Amino acid sequence: MIIMDLTVLTHGSQVRSQIGNPIPYTEGANNSTDFIQETQRYRVRSENPTHQPARKEMYNNGQISVTGSGMTSYPFEGMKTQPLSSVNPYHTSLTLRSRVTLKTPIKTWNNTRGSGKLFSFSLVDESGEIRATGFNEQVDQFYDILEEGKVYYISEFIVKPANKSFSNIKHDFEITLSKLTSIAPCHDEKDIPFTRFNFLLINTLSEVDINSIVDVIGVCKNVGDVVIFTSKTTNTELKKREITLVDHSNTSVNVTLWGEQAEQFDGSLQPIVAIKGGRMTEFRGARSISPMTTSIVQVNPDIADAQRLRGWFDNFGSRLKTKSISARCDSVGEGFGGNWMTLQEARRAQLGTSDKPDYFTCKAMVTMIRSENVVYKACPNGDCNKKVIDLGNNLYKCEKCNCEYPNYQYRLLIGVCLADWSTSLWVTCFNDVAQEILGATAQEVGLSENNNRFLYESYFRKPLFNNFIFRLRAKTEAYNDEKRLKFTIAKVMAVDFNKYNKCLLGSIKSILARVATPCSDLAHHTQLYDARH
DNA sequence: CCCCCCCC
């Protein structure tokens, strides 16, 4: 016995079922069992157990036709459903039983290929998850029906490959609703899971690619105010709120909430916030997570991770000093100018890609030095430093000062390859820094260049494979029409091991926090550490 | 058929 909804396309006639029997039962807005009205919906019993309730079926009794559509759970009851993981483009006619975990607002678009409206939603069942989208008429038909958190039967849909770069849903395909689609609520839904998160520890978020989609959970340690500003690109008013989440890796990350979510967020009681499908963004070395319209943001979710985190934070996490992956400078590099990074971290953070230069500190080894065309004859006048033109008559012309001099001074401009355990990097260094690295004056180097080649080369060999602490400057500079990211050594320092060991101890402390999975271990180690230092 | 996801 199957009951289905019929939308009646013609007026005032008795309907016969698909298999030719008179309709034995109807209910709905109109209780007439004999006549149906145009555009009214009726629930109709069918004796055909093989009937596909979601198909667009034409019913004929000679005069009228009706189309099966709309909402009822009865057609699906007792019907075999298939797991979300089995959805693929080659098997049509699957019936799914899954929970809507997210429904986006309706969006309209208007581009060269046309215009329209759409919404999308996420489905979860025991086997996995999938994303679904409804366009135009399907928006009208299904948008109001689908509710977040509820379970539905869905059948007769189109299956297309999923575009992974726009979704965090782990499925190779996605669903598009069609004219034939039927969706019906399922009230027996206890066995269907809710949103599945794949939380990453916050300390590991410094390693993921920028723009990747991540799940994160943390205690909202700090809340910013709502900030309203106008976007220069779209000229629209935007609202944002920055919050800071910390987890038991004792690391924090900033999250930027937008629009209504920003306005309605209440962080006054330091709630747990869980985010599924947030986008990792980066601005000048500071990372933050931005939820999108397809992200799920849950405050104090009823999940085990949240309870564990609450316990950790309330008992001792709140008292620990937190490392942030959203801060431009971290305290580990204190004493060396801050923002201590490996060369790889500097590259990953895309330092120097904004208008202003970015500085960071690292310990690295000199592995190569270019020795050709690195010492030049410069203007002897104070800080001019401009390369002079040898006039060949023992006079040297500086075009900057517009002056001819009988003398010049040597200056160095060298290219050095630095390497630490993470990667290597070619950097430029100017006179003073170059002299420190070579352990020789520009004058000595310059004089030896043509007179004592062996000595000259030795200046460039001596520093090789020595370690230094470097303060590096990253900046994008324009050469002709080309933009290049350049690294310059702003300062070079001998490795002061007393100082450097303190940095390493700081790192060990933060690593301890990262690896201490049971909360009590973390507290124990950190207290132990604090007691000793 | 969308696929933009914001700002410094």
Side-chain angles (χ1 to χ4, degrees):
Chain A
M1 173 78 61
I2 289 170
I3 300 175
M4 62 180 297
D5 268 9
L6 303 176
T7 298
V8 178
L9 300 183
T10 56
H11 175 76
S13 304
Q14 191 176 21
V15 178
R16 297 173 73 85
S17 78
Q18 182 187 22
I19 53 172
N21 299 319
I23 293 166
Y25 169 80
T26 64
E27 64 178 24
N30 184 331
N31 278 325
S32 162
T33 56
D34 298 320
F35 292 93
I36 50 177
Q37 310 247 325
E38 191 172 2
T39 72
Q40 290 283 8
R41 282 191 173 178
Y42 297 85
R43 187 162 288 164
V44 181
R45 259 183 209 161
S46 160
E47 301 293 328
N48 182 357
T50 63
H51 176 67
Q52 295 286 330
R55 287 200 84 85
K56 181 179 179 182
E57 299 284 0
M58 301 304 285
Y59 287 73
N60 274 301
N61 66 357
Q63 279 98 32
I64 64 153
S65 22
V66 291
T67 309
S69 74
M71 289 291 297
T72 168
S73 62
Y74 297 108
F76 296 99
E77 255 166 32
M79 206 169 178
K80 194 171 162 55
T81 57
Q82 288 79 32
L84 291 179
S85 61
S86 70
V87 171
N88 69 73
Y90 316 109
H91 287 97
T92 53
S93 299
L94 295 185
T95 299
L96 308 173
R97 185 169 152 265
S98 55
R99 194 179 298 277
V100 173
T101 57
L102 171 116
K103 182 176 78 168
T104 69
I106 297 167
K107 184 207 163 182
T108 57
W109 84 89
N110 197 346
N111 59 30
T112 50
R113 280 165 300 198
S115 60
K117 60 183 173 180
L118 70 108
F119 77 110
S120 71
F121 53 102
S122 304
L123 296 170
V124 168
D125 74 2
E126 206 57 60
S127 74
E129 53 185 351
I130 198 163
R131 184 180 179 229
T133 307
F135 292 94
N136 304 316
E137 304 95 273
Q138 281 65 247
V139 176
D140 299 333
Q141 195 178 354
F142 296 117
Y143 188 80
D144 291 336
I145 284 164
L146 292 164
E147 283 179 57
E148 284 181 4
K150 295 198 171 169
V151 172
Y152 298 87
Y153 293 102
I154 302 178
S155 71
E156 295 299 319
F157 41 80
I158 297 160
V159 178
K160 291 190 286 196
N163 190 336
K164 296 283 174 82
S165 54
F166 300 112
S167 168
N168 60 319
I169 303 290
K170 287 175 181 50
H171 203 294
D172 289 340
F173 301 105
E174 54 186 45
I175 284 169
T176 302
L177 307 182
S178 79
K179 284 186 169 66
L180 308 182
T181 299
S182 271
I183 299 180
C186 172
H187 303 292
D188 175 24
E189 43 82 50
K190 294 284 184 290
D191 57 318
I192 305 288
F194 287 81
T195 303
R196 230 179 291 222
F197 294 96
N198 301 293
F199 295 126
L200 292 175
L201 275 180
I202 292 173
N203 66 313
T204 66
L205 291 179
S206 56
E207 296 299 317
V208 305
D209 291 338
I210 302 301
N211 287 331
S212 59
I213 311 277
V214 294
D215 296 359
V216 68
I217 187 167
V219 181
C220 176
K221 203 176 181 181
N222 290 305
V223 205
D225 294 327
V226 174
V227 177
I228 301 171
F229 58 92
T230 304
S231 162
K232 282 165 194 157
T233 46
T234 59
N235 204 31
T236 52
E237 189 181 81
L238 295 171
K239 291 180 189 135
K240 68 163 183 176
R241 187 203 290 270
E242 297 263 345
I243 66 170
T244 304
L245 301 184
V246 62
D247 71 5
H248 64 274
S249 71
N250 202 28
T251 309
S252 70
V253 64
N254 287 358
V255 172
T256 310
L257 301 175
W258 295 92
E260 207 176 309
Q261 211 159 49
E263 282 185 307
Q264 290 179 359
F265 183 80
D266 178 6
S268 54
L269 295 171
Q270 297 191 305
I272 306 282
V273 177
I275 298 170
K276 182 181 173 65
R279 185 178 291 271
M280 177 57 70
T281 66
E282 185 273 345
F283 183 69
R284 294 197 190 160
R287 284 172 174 239
S288 61
I289 292 171
S290 246
M292 307 177 291
T293 51
T294 51
S295 304
I296 296 171
V297 179
Q298 290 180 1
V299 177
N300 288 326
D302 185 18
I303 54 175
D305 297 82
Q307 283 167 25
R308 230 174 293 144
L309 210 47
R310 184 86 265 161
W312 167 79
F313 188 78
D314 292 350
N315 287 317
F316 32 76
S318 58
R319 296 194 295 274
L320 297 176
K321 201 173 173 185
T322 308
K323 180 185 158 79
S324 173
I325 66 162
S326 300
R328 290 194 61 198
C329 294
D330 84 55
S331 58
V332 173
E334 258 171 82
F336 291 110
N339 206 15
W340 191 268
M341 283 177 150
T342 66
L343 299 175
Q344 177 75 298
E345 282 170 340
R347 197 170 278 171
R348 287 235 174 101
Q350 295 175 296
L351 293 191
T353 48
S354 64
D355 298 340
K356 289 181 202 155
D358 289 312
Y359 288 86
F360 67 101
T361 304
C362 67
K363 173 175 169 285
M365 180 188 277
V366 173
T367 58
M368 284 183 272
I369 307 177
R370 287 201 192 97
S371 61
E372 297 309 312
N373 301 319
V374 297
V375 63
Y376 65 95
K377 291 166 180 165
C379 177
N381 179 25
D383 303 324
C384 174
N385 300 336
K386 172 89 178 155
K387 189 176 179 175
V388 293
I389 299 158
D390 189 340
L391 298 173
N393 55 358
N394 288 327
L395 286 175
Y396 302 87
K397 182 176 179 172
C398 173
E399 290 184 312
K400 196 168 160 191
C401 304
N402 199 21
C403 229
E404 287 173 21
Y405 300 100
N407 59 331
Y408 55 84
Q409 59 169 334
Y410 281 109
R411 282 189 70 81
L412 290 162
L413 199 171
I414 65 177
V416 178
C417 186
L418 303 181
D420 65 8
W421 61 268
S422 66
T423 189
S424 63
L425 183 72
W426 278 96
V427 302
T428 300
C429 65
F430 296 105
N431 202 53
D432 296 350
V433 170
Q435 291 186 133
E436 280 187 65
I437 290 172
L438 299 185
T441 63
Q443 181 76 1
E444 289 170 316
V445 177
L447 286 176
S448 68
E449 187 176 16
N450 297 317
N451 301 331
N452 187 341
R453 201 62 198 173
F454 182 81
L455 180 62
Y456 177 81
E457 295 292 350
S458 76
Y459 290 130
F460 298 92
R461 267 202 307 276
K462 215 178 79 190
L464 295 182
F465 312 115
N466 285 323
N467 284 292
F468 298 91
I469 306 291
F470 294 102
R471 185 81 180 143
L472 294 179
R473 174 189 195 264
K475 171 115 170 59
T476 302
E477 289 175 12
Y479 285 89
N480 304 321
D481 291 335
E482 201 188 334
K483 278 187 176 176
R484 271 192 252 169
L485 178 58
K486 272 192 78 173
F487 291 87
T488 312
I489 303 176
K491 199 176 169 193
V492 59
M493 294 157 272
V495 182
D496 176 338
F497 285 101
N498 196 3
K499 232 163 144 188
Y500 182 59
N501 283 350
K502 279 184 184 148
C503 285
L504 292 180
L505 280 169
S507 299
I508 290 166
K509 189 179 176 181
S510 77
I511 290 165
L512 258 183
R514 290 176 201 195
V515 298
T517 26
C519 300
S520 55
D521 281 10
L522 168 63
H524 176 69
H525 284 301
T526 322
Q527 280 158 15
L528 217 60
Y529 179 89
D530 285 339
R532 287 175 185 170
H533 297 88

